[in-house]
Amino acid sequence: MTSAPPAPRTHHAPSGVLREPMSSIRRSPELNLDGVWQFQLLPSPAVAPAADAWAEVEVPSLWTMDERFGHPQYTNIEMPFGGVYPLIPEDNPVGVYRTRFTLPKVGDDERVILHVGAAEGHLTAQVNGTVVGVSTDSHLHAEFDITNAVNPGDNDLELHVARWSAETFIEDQDQWWHSGLSRSVSLHTTSRARLIDVLVHADFDPASARGSLRVDAFTDGLNGEHSGDYRIRATILGAEHDTPVGGEPASQVMAPAPSDRSQRLPRMLPDDIPDVLSIMSAGGELPPDMAAFVAQFAAAGAAPAPLPGIAQVRLSDLAVEAWSAERPHLEDLRVELLDPAGAVIDAVEYRVGFRRVEIVGPDLLVNGRRILIQGVNRHDVDPRTGRVMSRERMRAELSLLKRFNFNAIRTSHYPNDPYLLDLCDEYGLYVVDEADVEGHAYTSTIADDPRYLTPIVERIQRMVLRDRNHPSVIIWSLGNETGYGAAHDAAAGWLRRADPTRPLQYEGAIAADWHGGRSASDIVCPMYPSFPGLEAYARDGRADRPLISCEYAFSLGNSSGGLAHYWHLFETSPALQGGFIWQFLDHALDPEGDGRFRYGGDFGDTPNDGAFLLCGIAFADLTPKPALYEARGLFSPVRIESDAAEALAGRVRIRSRRHFADVSDLSFTIRVETRSGAGDDMAVHLDLAPGAEQSVTLPPEIVGALHAADALALTLVVTLRGDSAWAPAGTELSAHQVQLAPTALPLTSRPAAAAVTSTQPAALTPDGALSHPLLQSPPQLCLWRAQTDNDASVGLDGRFEKSGLFRLDVERTHIREESGATLVERTLRGAFGDAITHRTRIRVLGTHDYLLDEYVRLPDGPVDVLRVGVQFSLAAGIDHVDWTGLGPWENYPDRRASAMLGRWSATIDELATPYVRPQDNGTRGGVDELALRGVAGRADITAGQPLWMTASRHSTDALERTAHWWELPPSDLTHITLDVAHRGVGTGALGPDTLPQHRITESEHEWQWRLRLQTN
């Protein structure tokens, strides 16, 4: 092991040698260097590149995504190498990227700046063999002044990226470890006299509905010119405003005491004038003569002198439209630096949103209104490129979130590409901007280690300086999972002084005490809070800060159960204001683009944390998971508040969930769902102010259809009325229902029942199983599902494995005829000997038409099982399924708030949710009619009560023994499971288990169903 202390410090950028100070200014590239570069991977920084060993790569790219050079590695907490910080391994690969660029002669008044958008690792930049700078902040850009290193004509640029450094220990996020150049590389020029930063604060006063603007322009290279020689011009709202740049401050030499004794001089100062400052600082009352003098002095200096090198523009009482996530109104601002002759020598442009963010009591307010954060945690992840994000990919991601009604993202756990923040400004998304600070492996010490004080504070400073002009950024985050120490308090102190217009948060400060950590967190931002914990905070009289969960609803595999209960609490409890789901996308990688998504360990990476990064509510390729549809309904801009009785009476009440916008940008249609399918859509008009409720009279045709015998529900569909920056007109945003009281189907009402005689026996095998050519395996008791990631989580302590119900062995079967039916009674034993009773009464209603009454008694003792139902398999040649119940997407007892009741159709393959690590999937609830059909025949099922249905190509055994979805063996069978009870999925891998009402705790279960089989 070798020691790698933090890099040498300079007054500009303590962990970046020769790196330019961070700024909000983004210069347009004058020479884009992206494209084909030469590349070598060296074993360590001590090894020089070989002359004949260059390969070609694209920039930006990560060498860990190129099998020629290496592979990614996934760890959650553990460092990818051994040792204690700040020691790094001697095996420290260095990727050397080399290219050549051509420049004309650089003018005497020009500077040439190298821009590296992001380098994952320790970056050293060389131009023509000269080191021009070093940077170690992997997710913010680094810029270097290379003026003195370049020549007219051809120039050689090398970027050396070492995989590990001392600061790797504060980049220990729950994601793939990558190395390389993840963002663009370019050159631009500036003049010597130039703008070096601009601070824009566009405030909106909700009381007056007027705006104010503060623009502070910072300059450099003006050589101490006096005020008035250079000026700043700010253009906004169609008007120009200019102001001088402050020059060298006037001398503040103390004036000598008067020496003229030829006359009595007038009295200039009141007695004891040196006492004024102390009295005023102490809040005391000044004597009248002192008070008069102070007032006179203050009036004379009412206009503060311009600050050296800075120009300040102040505008007030502006007629502006406010910015919010619902109405993201932006204004163009242009800031120009004018030389003494009035010529523009530098200019930058911003898109400005006028808005106010504040905390009042326990509420986070935007423009004076309490908002709810419908957020998600977002990482940079692309299955093909790792963390190299194209602009098209970023637009697609945020468009998907907007279409599913999210209003916020947390940039977990580092600043994102500034283009993404541009999109958040434009599309309308609130942002918690998070610094690239995570020392997860050393949370107990690293934030108090003085060696890491400067790097931690600096990373937070650089993020703020880059992003503070974005209206979408409403909260700063000091990082993630780095414990809590002096570095956080230091950073918070600087941040509050540098930007008093936004609150800040840090989960580590409040993790052990939701009422503590105030010096480093204005918001209570817990991870994976329990429901009782949230309820306790909302009731606590000390709860004087908003609680916005920075991570909740852990979505590993088939998960996100309980999301609706979270939102019941958020919407009905004081101080609770939502949170950020963990997380947006699976981190699965697919370097070859062949659909074989991989997770930790699949690249030979050790140590690794396996599939723990497959926790998105969407797949890595942006395909929504069912959990995303659950969120879409909960986050909808409107909600139905009325019940079935009101709908049958001809009215429905609809409430706006918006805080700022009306619903004029939306269209609404209604229809009636029936057992034969959906009725015709009819348009309805809503005129809803933010937060308002409206009662809508239903058309007579709709009311009549609701009273029909086969009516199931009234459906309201919400779509975009016109084109948006993030979706075209007609895009469906949500659908809501008023579900009618279920009517049990008469299971013996078909004509075939009339032919039944009490002596007609069921066609059974000797062991009591139904027999038919379409049955590959007969109906039999099933108490097990392919465990989800939550089922098998550490927090559940192997509960289901310990039950032994993964295997059921028949100990005894008794068959007898009874009252015109066949009674099959079995005693089964679980893997550990527990007894289960399963009794089926089979009545024949016609040819291959059976009515089955099921009874199950579970083992004695505490009960918590995964399912109670029957399972059977159909032979090849069944391809389609029609069902009446909840759909169209997968749903479970604790994740069905947004599922729709209706008549649905799909192929068997379409029912599956292809979780990368196979597990139980594809379940639909509320099913009382089911038809499976194909060239082999058909199976028709009806139930006397709603059941949970799964129809899959893959058996439970196949799902449990296969590591990746794409490795599942092909199958043309159809495996059916019908459950009278099914356990919710919860979030137990990291967070609450499913709620008690969604667990199976009863020992006895009974249900009735009908099975009709027909071959072609």
Side-chain angles (χ1 to χ4, degrees), residues 769-942:
L770 281 176
S771 177
H772 187 274
L774 206 57
L775 289 173
Q776 182 72 20
S777 62
Q780 53 192 324
L781 179 65
C782 182
L783 303 176
W784 191 255
R785 68 186 181 198
Q787 287 194 103
T788 67
D789 292 299
N790 291 328
D791 295 340
S793 64
V794 173
L796 295 188
D797 190 33
R799 178 182 308 174
F800 306 112
E801 293 280 359
K802 292 174 182 178
S803 75
L805 298 180
F806 52 86
R807 192 179 80 222
L808 297 178
D809 298 321
V810 178
E811 181 180 76
R812 181 173 58 254
T813 302
H814 182 65
I815 306 172
R816 69 178 185 271
E817 299 299 316
E818 181 181 275
S819 303
T822 302
L823 188 66
V824 180
E825 186 167 355
R826 293 186 175 89
T827 299
L828 306 96
R829 296 281 177 180
F832 306 126
D834 298 296
I836 301 104
T837 299
H838 178 210
R839 185 166 60 241
T840 304
R841 184 175 183 271
I842 307 171
R843 181 184 175 193
V844 178
L845 301 181
T847 304
H848 307 305
D849 187 357
Y850 306 102
L851 182 67
L852 300 99
D853 290 276
E854 309 280 1
Y855 168 83
V856 174
R857 181 176 178 84
L858 299 175
D860 294 333
V863 176
D864 188 0
V865 301
L866 292 170
R867 73 188 334 154
V868 177
V870 293
Q871 185 178 67
F872 57 97
S873 299
L874 299 178
I878 299 296
D879 302 303
H880 288 82
V881 58
D882 306 296
W883 77 98
T884 302
L886 295 176
W889 46 80
E890 167 194 286
N891 51 86
Y892 283 79
D894 57 354
R895 204 187 65 222
R896 62 176 175 177
S898 300
M900 310 296 290
L901 181 61
R903 182 71 175 179
W904 310 103
S905 296
T907 66
I908 301 297
D909 292 334
E910 289 170 345
L911 290 179
T913 302
Y915 298 107
V916 176
R917 193 194 72 77
Q919 53 201 280
D920 191 82
N921 70 91
T923 296
R924 270 78 173 171
V927 176
D928 61 6
E929 287 185 296
L930 176 65
L932 300 119
R933 52 191 170 82
V935 295
R938 65 181 292 137
D940 291 286
I941 297 164
T942 52

Side-chain angles (χ1 to χ4, degrees), residues 687-731:
D687 184 14
L688 277 171
E693 184 177 295
Q694 181 178 344
S695 181
V696 177
T697 301
L698 299 176
E701 301 93 329
I702 294 291
V703 178
L706 285 173
H707 283 272
D710 66 345
L712 298 170
L714 174 71
T715 298
L716 171 73
V717 178
V718 185
T719 59
L720 270 181
R721 182 182 298 275
D723 291 338
S724 165
W726 42 269
T731 297

Side-chain angles (χ1 to χ4, degrees), residues 174-247:
D174 178 10
Q175 61 178 354
W176 293 101
W177 291 96
H178 279 300
S179 297
L181 299 174
S182 58
R183 296 179 192 160
S184 292
V185 182
S186 63
L187 298 178
H188 64 263
T189 61
T190 71
S191 60
R192 298 284 176 181
R194 65 196 183 281
L195 294 164
I196 58 170
D197 199 5
V198 176
L199 167 64
V200 180
H201 176 49
D203 184 41
F204 181 81
D205 178 16
S208 65
R210 308 291 282 186
S212 61
L213 181 69
R214 168 188 173 187
V215 178
D216 291 352
F218 302 84
T219 66
D220 196 12
L222 274 57
N223 299 319
E225 297 287 346
H226 290 287
S227 175
D229 291 345
Y230 287 81
R231 301 184 71 81
I232 290 294
R233 181 165 62 207
T235 303
I236 190 169
L237 299 171
E240 296 180 350
H241 311 271
D242 66 63
T243 188
V245 177

Side-chain angles (χ1 to χ4, degrees), residues 637-659:
V638 301
R639 182 169 295 162
I640 296 177
E641 297 290 346
S642 52
D643 58 14
E646 289 184 68
L648 290 169
R651 301 192 69 80
V652 62
R653 286 181 291 112
I654 301 170
R655 178 174 60 86
S656 169
R657 296 185 63 254
R658 287 179 164 178
H659 307 105

Side-chain angles (χ1 to χ4, degrees), residues 414-750:
Y414 38 79
N416 291 171
D417 189 306
Y419 179 72
L420 187 125
L421 295 184
D422 292 344
L423 293 176
C424 291
D425 295 342
E426 179 186 359
Y427 290 2
L429 285 160
Y430 302 119
V431 176
V432 171
D433 205 358
E434 186 153 278
D436 189 7
V437 178
E438 181 166 345
H440 204 157
Y442 294 97
T443 56
S444 61
T445 58
I446 201 164
D448 279 321
D449 191 317
R451 292 172 293 182
Y452 283 88
L453 172 62
T454 298
I456 289 173
V457 173
E458 180 196 51
R459 285 166 177 251
I460 295 165
Q461 289 174 326
R462 297 184 75 232
M463 171 189 71
V464 171
L465 292 173
R466 190 195 73 164
D467 296 340
R468 60 184 175 178
N469 292 342
H470 285 279
S472 57
V473 176
I474 65 168
I475 300 168
W476 300 115
S477 169
L478 305 183
N480 188 64
E481 294 179 318
T482 313
Y484 178 38
H488 295 110
D489 286 340
W494 175 87
L495 204 163
R496 287 196 173 98
R497 178 61 181 251
D499 181 18
T501 70
R502 295 176 176 92
L504 60 90
Q505 70 175 48
Y506 177 59
E507 183 271 341
I510 59 89
D513 179 4
W514 289 1
H515 304 286
R518 296 172 183 272
S519 63
S521 195
D522 302 321
I523 293 169
V524 178
C525 49
M527 289 183 175
Y528 312 108
S530 71
F531 303 123
L534 292 172
E535 292 166 350
Y537 183 83
R539 291 192 303 265
D540 198 307
R542 297 172 295 164
D544 58 354
R545 287 178 292 177
L547 187 151
I548 301 171
S549 180
C550 70
E551 296 175 19
Y552 79 107
F554 191 72
S555 299
L556 181 65
N558 187 353
S559 186
S560 313
L563 188 62
H565 191 63
Y566 270 120
W567 275 88
H568 169 71
L569 295 177
F570 293 154
E571 293 187 289
T572 61
S573 306
L576 308 185
Q577 285 189 251
F580 297 85
I581 293 171
W582 188 266
Q583 60 178 306
F584 181 23
L585 299 175
D586 282 355
H587 286 232
L589 296 179
D590 180 19
E592 286 78 38
D594 57 8
R596 299 191 304 160
F597 291 98
R598 294 101 185 261
Y599 49 79
D602 287 343
F603 298 94
D605 49 311
T606 55
N608 70 79
D609 282 301
F612 202 66
L613 43 51
L614 302 177
C615 46
I617 51 173
F619 291 103
D621 64 0
L622 302 185
T623 299
K625 293 182 183 179
L628 193 62
Y629 285 95
E630 181 82 343
R632 186 184 80 159
L634 295 170
F635 296 170
S636 171
V638 301
R639 182 169 295 162
I640 296 177
E641 297 290 346
S642 52
D643 58 14
E646 289 184 68
L648 290 169
R651 301 192 69 80
V652 62
R653 286 181 291 112
I654 301 170
R655 178 174 60 86
S656 169
R657 296 185 63 254
R658 287 179 164 178
H659 307 105
F660 302 101
D662 58 23
V663 296
S664 59
D665 60 320
L666 306 177
S667 294
F668 303 89
T669 57
I670 54 173
R671 64 172 180 260
V672 176
E673 309 290 344
T674 72
R675 290 191 175 276
S676 56
D680 293 335
D681 288 335
M682 300 189 70
V684 293
H685 176 72
L686 293 180
D687 184 14
L688 277 171
E693 184 177 295
Q694 181 178 344
S695 181
V696 177
T697 301
L698 299 176
E701 301 93 329
I702 294 291
V703 178
L706 285 173
H707 283 272
D710 66 345
L712 298 170
L714 174 71
T715 298
L716 171 73
V717 178
V718 185
T719 59
L720 270 181
R721 182 182 298 275
D723 291 338
S724 165
W726 42 269
T731 297
E732 183 174 304
L733 300 182
S734 61
H736 306 271
Q737 285 189 324
V738 176
Q739 296 181 5
L740 304 180
T743 302
L745 291 173
L747 298 188
T748 60
S749 63
R750 291 186 51 154

Side-chain angles (χ1 to χ4, degrees), residues 6-165:
R9 310 299 195 229
T10 70
H11 70 284
H12 281 316
S15 63
V17 177
L18 304 178
R19 188 174 61 196
E20 291 286 286
M22 182 55 79
S23 162
S24 68
I25 294 175
R26 286 153 58 191
R27 306 283 184 179
S28 298
E30 296 175 41
L31 184 58
N32 188 337
L33 299 179
D34 290 353
V36 178
W37 289 42
Q38 293 181 311
F39 180 81
Q40 277 192 50
L41 186 64
L42 308 179
S44 77
V47 178
D52 58 352
W54 296 100
E56 289 189 342
V57 298
E58 286 285 331
V59 168
S61 68
L62 302 168
W63 84 68
T64 45
M65 291 295 290
D66 190 327
E67 63 181 1
R68 295 176 296 172
F69 309 116
H71 58 73
Q73 181 174 357
Y74 169 57
T75 62
N76 174 17
I77 299 173
E78 182 180 7
M79 294 299 295
F81 49 79
V84 177
Y85 74 85
L87 300 180
I88 60 173
E90 293 181 359
D91 180 12
N92 185 14
V94 179
V96 181
Y97 295 82
R98 185 175 75 174
T99 192
R100 177 167 291 177
F101 61 88
T102 303
L103 284 182
K105 186 179 186 308
V106 178
D108 293 338
D109 191 43
E110 285 186 311
R111 301 165 71 247
V112 181
I113 305 299
L114 168 66
H115 172 95
V116 181
E120 299 239 0
H122 183 283
L123 170 67
T124 303
Q126 297 183 15
V127 175
N128 296 326
T130 299
V131 174
V132 295
V134 172
S135 185
T136 54
D137 193 341
S138 292
H139 296 94
L140 286 173
H141 69 256
E143 293 186 339
F144 308 102
D145 185 343
I146 63 172
T147 308
N148 295 330
V150 296
N151 303 311
D154 291 341
N155 294 268
D156 292 323
L157 169 63
E158 287 187 3
L159 300 178
H160 295 231
V161 183
R163 188 160 199 188
W164 315 122
S165 74

